[in-house]
Amino acid sequence: SAPFSRRFKRAALSLCLSIGIAGLLSEASLGAVPVLQGDQSHVPRDCPYGSITKPCQISDDGVVDQDCIVGTTGRPEVLRFQKLFIRAGVKLLFSRDEGVDIKLMANGIKVDGELWVGCEGGLAEAFRGKVLLEFSGAFEDFGDASRWVGFNFHQAGLPDMGMGSVEEMFPKGLVVTNTGRLELHGLPKTSWRYLAATALAGGQAVTLDEDMNWAPGDELVIGSTSTNPGESEVAIIAQVIGREVQLDSKLQFTHAGDYHDRGRPLNAPVGLRSHNIRVRGRMADGTEEAERAAWLACKWAYEQLDGANPSHVRDGCFGGHTIYLQHSTVHVEHAEFTSMGQALIMARYPIHWHLAGNATGQYVRNVSLHSNFQRCATIHGTSDVLLADNVCHDTFGHAFYLEDGIETGNSFHRNLVVSAHPGGSVCTDFQKGGGPRSNVQIGPS
C-alpha cells in the first residue's frame, strides 16, 4: 500500500542515522539510577484482581467492552480471534489461579484499555498459570485490512509520522495505544548467572556462582566463551542441587568458568529462556520443532541477503511484534518473547517504545527474548525506561537499540546478549565482530 511504501522509503533514507546497542551490559547502567526488583517502593497500588470477577463473554468480532476475567483452574482454554480489541476504560484480566492454562491467538491485539496478566509485587501478586499470546500473519497482510489492527496518530492528537489521516497498519502484533496499559507479571525467576567452574564438553551439569530458583523443565542458554558464537547452546534442566544444575543432555561444547574476582565476567553466562507467560509470533504449525526450523530458515535467508532483493528475508522472517505509543503504560517482567520482530521493517520489534515521550516508571525486566527476527528491545523517542536483567539470545541486528540518539534517562542494567547475528535494517546491523565478546557493539551507525 502507499502508506507502507512511504514508511519503507523513509526507513531507507534514514538508514544510517540511528544509534544501536548490542552487548553484554552486565554491571553498568546508562542514564537514571535503576529501580531494581527488590525495591517495591514504586509498586502500583491499583492491581484490579479481587474487584473484577465477571467471566468474559467476548463477542465474535473480538471486542472486549466491559471489565472481565478469563481462565479457569484445570480447564485449558484456546481463544481465537481475527482481531482482539480492548476498549478504552475496560480491563481484561487473566486469572492468576494455579492451573490456569490459556492460549490466545489473533492476527492483532489493540489495547485501548488495559490487559492484565498478573500484578507487580512478587510471587504473591504474579500470574501463576500458563499463558501463550500468539500472533499469526504474513508480510502480505499489509494489503488486507481484515488482518491488521490500525491506529490513527492524527486523530489521537499524536505526531502522525507523515501518515496524515491514514491509519498506521500493525499486522501480527500487539499495540498499546495512547489510552492503553499492558501489565505482564510472570512467576519470579532468576534471569541469569555466571558459571563458577568450567563446564566441559560431554558433561551434564553446570555450577553457578550465585543462587537461583530454577526448576526441572526450565530451558537455559549457556553462552559461548570461544571465538565461535555458535558454541552457545540450549539445555533443559533435569535437576537442581544447590548451585549445581544438572541437565537432561550432554553439553556439546566447553564453557569457561574458572575466572574470579574482576575476571568473573569472562565466565560463560547461563540465562533462563523459558517463562510461564509467553508472547510468540507463529511461524509454522506451532510445535517447538517447526518453530525452531522456521528460525533457522530465517537465519539462512539473512546469510544470503542481497540488498537488491531482500524479499526472502522480509517474507521468511516476519514474526510478531509489540509497540507502545505515547501516553501508554507498560510494565513487563518474567515473561518470554520468541519469534518476534519483523525483519527489515522499521518500528516492528519484539519490544518497542515508539515516540512514547516521558515513560518514567515503565520497564521490561527479567524477561527472555530468544529466537527473534529483529533486535530484542528498541527505545525510540522515549525517556526514562528501565531495561534490567533481561536475556536476549539469538536475534538479528543490534539487540538493544536507541533509535534516534536523542533518548535520555533510559537505564540498561545487567542485560545479557548471547549470539546477536548480523541484521539488515541499518548500516551497522551488517557488521560482524570477532572473538568471544563480539556481541558488544556500542556506537553510532
Side-chain angles (χ1 to χ4, degrees):
S1 68
F4 178 75
S5 177
R6 288 198 297 270
R7 170 176 280 281
F8 200 84
K9 290 176 181 177
R10 284 199 310 274
L13 288 173
S14 62
L15 196 63
C16 301
L17 300 179
S18 302
I19 290 180
I21 294 179
L24 177 64
L25 304 176
S26 59
E27 301 296 340
S29 62
L30 307 177
V33 175
V35 179
L36 301 181
Q37 184 180 354
D39 180 359
Q40 297 298 326
S41 61
H42 67 307
V43 171
R45 303 302 178 188
D46 54 353
C47 180
Y49 289 89
S51 62
I52 297 174
T53 58
K54 181 178 180 179
C56 288
Q57 294 181 331
I58 304 174
S59 62
D60 291 340
D61 57 1
V63 175
V64 182
D65 56 9
Q66 55 184 321
D67 295 349
C68 63
I69 188 167
V70 296
T72 302
T73 298
R75 190 179 72 190
E77 298 182 50
V78 178
L79 307 174
R80 293 184 176 90
F81 302 97
Q82 183 87 331
K83 308 176 188 179
L84 182 69
F85 301 93
I86 304 174
R87 295 301 191 206
V90 172
K91 297 181 178 71
L92 171 60
L93 279 60
F94 284 36
S95 171
R96 297 182 297 180
D97 295 340
E98 292 186 21
V100 167
D101 187 348
I102 303 171
K103 182 177 183 179
L104 173 58
M105 306 168 67
N107 290 97
I109 299 177
K110 186 177 182 182
V111 183
D112 290 314
E114 301 181 15
L115 175 59
W116 291 77
V117 186
C119 290
E120 184 177 316
L123 180 61
E125 302 293 341
F127 175 79
R128 294 181 286 276
K130 293 195 301 183
V131 65
L132 171 63
L133 303 180
E134 185 175 80
F135 302 100
S136 299
F139 177 79
E140 291 74 17
D141 291 349
F142 279 104
D144 183 351
S146 70
R147 297 184 64 81
W148 49 261
V149 295
F151 182 77
N152 192 309
F153 287 83
H154 183 75
Q155 286 185 358
L158 302 180
D160 61 24
M161 297 297 295
M163 301 294 292
S165 60
V166 178
E167 274 194 313
E168 180 85 7
M169 298 167 284
F170 298 104
K172 201 173 183 178
L174 181 149
V175 183
V176 186
T177 74
N178 59 316
T179 59
R181 180 170 182 174
L182 178 66
E183 299 283 343
L184 302 181
H185 304 274
L187 283 172
K189 292 266 190 173
T190 304
S191 185
W192 66 278
R193 294 287 187 246
Y194 287 112
L195 288 185
T198 293
L200 298 176
Q204 208 163 327
V206 295
T207 302
L208 306 180
D209 66 338
E210 295 182 63
D211 295 335
M212 92 311 292
N213 62 345
W214 299 336
D218 286 347
E219 185 175 273
L220 307 176
V221 57
I222 305 167
S224 171
T225 51
S226 76
T227 58
N228 180 7
E231 293 187 3
S232 298
E233 56 185 306
V234 175
I236 306 297
I237 295 178
Q239 188 176 6
V240 178
I241 303 175
R243 294 184 180 181
E244 180 181 275
V245 178
Q246 298 179 358
L247 309 174
D248 73 348
S249 60
K250 294 181 179 180
L251 293 171
Q252 300 179 57
F253 309 104
T254 293
H255 303 270
D258 291 332
Y259 295 96
H260 301 288
D261 302 322
R262 293 180 62 186
R264 175 169 157 267
L266 296 175
N267 292 333
V270 181
L272 181 68
R273 288 181 23 130
S274 55
H275 289 275
N276 67 320
I277 296 176
R278 303 185 71 204
V279 182
R280 181 172 78 175
R282 183 166 175 157
M283 302 298 294
D285 65 8
T287 63
E288 297 301 322
E289 296 79 8
E291 297 301 318
R292 179 61 181 171
W295 186 87
L296 290 171
C298 169
K299 184 174 184 290
W300 181 89
Y302 261 116
E303 290 168 351
Q304 313 305 313
L305 180 60
D306 178 357
N309 183 25
S311 61
H312 57 294
V313 173
R314 183 196 64 196
D315 296 341
C317 309
F318 192 82
H321 75 101
T322 68
I323 186 168
Y324 321 134
L325 307 182
Q326 188 172 4
H327 307 308
S328 64
T329 300
V330 175
H331 303 107
V332 178
E333 59 184 344
H334 303 293
E336 175 184 350
F337 289 69
T338 185
S339 293
M340 300 289 282
Q342 297 175 354
L344 307 184
I345 302 175
M346 302 294 279
R348 302 295 185 269
Y349 312 113
I351 298 286
H352 181 204
W353 277 273
H354 180 66
L355 300 175
N358 184 348
T360 299
Q362 300 189 38
Y363 58 77
V364 169
R365 62 190 188 188
N366 295 291
V367 162
S368 77
L369 303 110
H370 67 85
S371 307
N372 291 311
F373 302 112
Q374 181 164 245
R375 316 205 186 290
C376 278
T378 294
I379 299 174
H380 178 203
T382 303
S383 62
D384 299 312
V385 165
L386 171 64
L387 292 175
D389 291 289
N390 300 299
V391 173
C392 171
H393 174 222
D394 270 342
T395 193
F396 299 92
H398 297 303
F400 292 96
Y401 185 70
L402 295 172
E403 189 158 334
D404 284 341
I406 61 171
E407 295 83 3
T408 62
N410 298 295
S411 179
F412 297 81
H413 181 83
R414 204 176 179 276
N415 297 291
L416 171 67
V417 177
V418 177
S419 301
H421 306 278
S425 289
V426 298
C427 297
T428 53
D429 279 333
F430 293 93
Q431 297 178 1
K432 184 175 182 180
R437 293 294 173 258
S438 60
N439 280 332
V440 178
Q441 193 171 126
I442 301 176
S445 59

